[in-house]
């Protein structure tokens, strides 16, 4: 895969840049969890979609599982289902193994994922798409491994988050956006996260639909990096997904 699922990269140093994006994402000191609130909301959406394991054991691929902390948060809601963590980073998989019974090395490029066509009932794709050079091919590969009617649960930061709208009006670079891998320039925050693409709710919905999926729902989730005094407002914004910090999209393979 092109990147582990991540929303925090504490590499705000202005020292030399990594040789390439893989070096940037491979740093084992970089946390790869994006916050329990997002993980729980996404897991609830998935659990509602696939139902309890008493009816049928589903195969869920956590693509870009990172260190597995997001899957660990979701585990109680997905009890009995088979969750397989997938990442290109061997270091991440070693750490993920403490949270997941099954971990597999796989990439969205260079030959694709090591799964047969239609072998998965659901795919978790948590805050990975914003790191990808070629998101079109990535969704093609996710669609390939999903069975017809299978579920895609995708999350990504929202370019049009409520505070980003105000920042843009003030001429300030939006939160989540990146202009460098060496440091933060022109926006609030201190962490370089390696985001290459950002989506609004409308753009994400249209993009996923154009990739051969039926979009079922777009919901919102809060962002753990919002300053404490503003967190109540950030939670309220989730009621309007187009203004929320994080976008949660549920789609089904056509």
């Amino acid at each position: 895969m092109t990147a582990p699922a991540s929303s925090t990269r504490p590499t705000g140093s202005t020292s030399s840049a990594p040789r390439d994006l893989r070096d940037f994402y491979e740093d084992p000191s970089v946390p790869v969890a994006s916050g329990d609130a997002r993980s729980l909301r996404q897991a609830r959406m998935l659990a509602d979609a696939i139902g309890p394991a008493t009816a049928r054991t589903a195969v869920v691929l956590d693509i870009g599982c990172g260190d597995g902390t997001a899957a660990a948060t979701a585990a109680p809601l997905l009890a009995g289902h088979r969750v397989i963590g997938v990442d290109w980073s061997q270091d991440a998989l070693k750490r993920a193994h403490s949270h997941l019974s099954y971990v597999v090395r796989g990439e969205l490029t260079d030959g694709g994922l090591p799964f047969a066509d239609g072998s998965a009932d659901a795919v978790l794709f948590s805050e990975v798409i914003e790191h990808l050079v070629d998101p079109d091919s990535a969704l093609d590969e996710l669609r390939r491994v999903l069975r017809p009617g299978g579920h895609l649960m995708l999350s990504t930061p929202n370019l049009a988050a409520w505070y980003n709208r105000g920042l843009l009006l003030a001429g300030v670079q939006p939160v989540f956006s990146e202009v460098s891998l060496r440091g933060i320039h022109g926006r609030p925050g201190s962490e370089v996260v390696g985001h290459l693409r950002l989506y609004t709710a409308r753009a994400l919905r249209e993009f996923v639909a154009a990739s051969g999926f039926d979009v079922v729902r777009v919901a919102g989730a809060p962002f753990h990096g919002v300053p404490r005094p503003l967190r109540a407002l950030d939670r309220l914004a989730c009621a309007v997904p187009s203004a929320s910090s994080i976008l949660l999209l549920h789609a089904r393979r056509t």
Side-chain angles (χ1 to χ4, degrees):
M1 292 182 25
T2 309
S6 168
S7 66
T8 55
R9 302 285 177 184
T11 53
S13 167
T14 56
S15 61
S16 60
R19 291 189 302 276
D20 57 31
L21 283 172
R22 285 183 178 251
D23 291 335
F24 181 78
Y25 294 125
E26 187 67 78
D27 184 353
S29 68
V30 173
V32 293
S34 57
D36 289 350
R38 189 275 300 161
S39 298
L40 281 172
R41 288 182 184 225
Q42 193 172 23
R44 289 189 187 108
M45 289 174 66
L46 177 57
D48 288 344
I50 63 178
T54 52
R56 180 175 179 272
T57 300
V59 174
V60 179
L61 305 181
D62 184 359
I63 306 294
C65 66
D67 64 4
T69 54
T73 301
L77 295 172
L78 301 176
H81 294 299
R82 187 180 185 189
V83 180
I84 303 172
V86 185
D87 209 292
W88 65 268
S89 168
Q90 292 285 16
D91 180 78
L93 292 176
K94 288 177 183 177
R95 290 178 283 155
H97 198 63
S98 63
H99 300 296
L100 291 163
S101 298
Y102 308 97
V103 295
V104 176
R105 188 182 185 281
E107 303 195 35
L108 290 166
T109 56
D110 297 332
L113 297 168
F115 301 101
D117 296 359
S119 58
D121 297 289
V123 164
L124 277 170
F125 203 49
S126 304
E127 296 179 45
V128 177
I129 197 168
E130 64 271 16
H131 299 275
L132 300 180
V133 174
D134 186 1
D136 301 271
S137 295
L139 285 194
D140 288 345
E141 182 64 1
L142 298 185
R143 188 175 184 278
R144 181 188 69 79
V145 299
L146 278 169
R147 63 170 175 80
H151 303 277
L152 171 65
M153 295 291 174
L154 184 156
S155 65
T156 190
N158 183 10
L159 175 61
W162 60 274
Y163 38 81
N164 279 346
R165 300 181 189 207
L167 290 173
L168 278 170
L169 284 174
V172 178
Q173 188 82 8
V175 174
F176 307 124
S177 64
E178 301 277 300
V179 299
S180 171
L181 290 180
R182 298 183 181 185
I184 297 299
H185 304 288
R187 73 159 172 82
S190 59
E191 296 171 337
V192 178
V193 295
H195 290 170
L196 303 180
R197 300 179 183 275
L198 289 176
Y199 300 80
T200 63
R202 179 176 178 177
L204 184 65
R205 180 186 289 271
E206 291 183 3
F207 171 58
V208 172
S211 299
F213 293 87
D214 287 330
V215 177
V216 177
R217 178 188 177 197
V218 176
F223 175 47
H224 71 287
V226 168
R228 189 173 297 275
L230 298 176
R231 289 181 184 176
L233 183 57
D234 192 44
R235 289 192 294 271
L236 285 173
C238 294
V240 184
S242 62
S244 65
S245 286
I246 306 295
L247 298 171
L248 305 177
L249 180 139
H250 171 205
R252 302 194 72 172
R253 185 201 157 182
T254 54

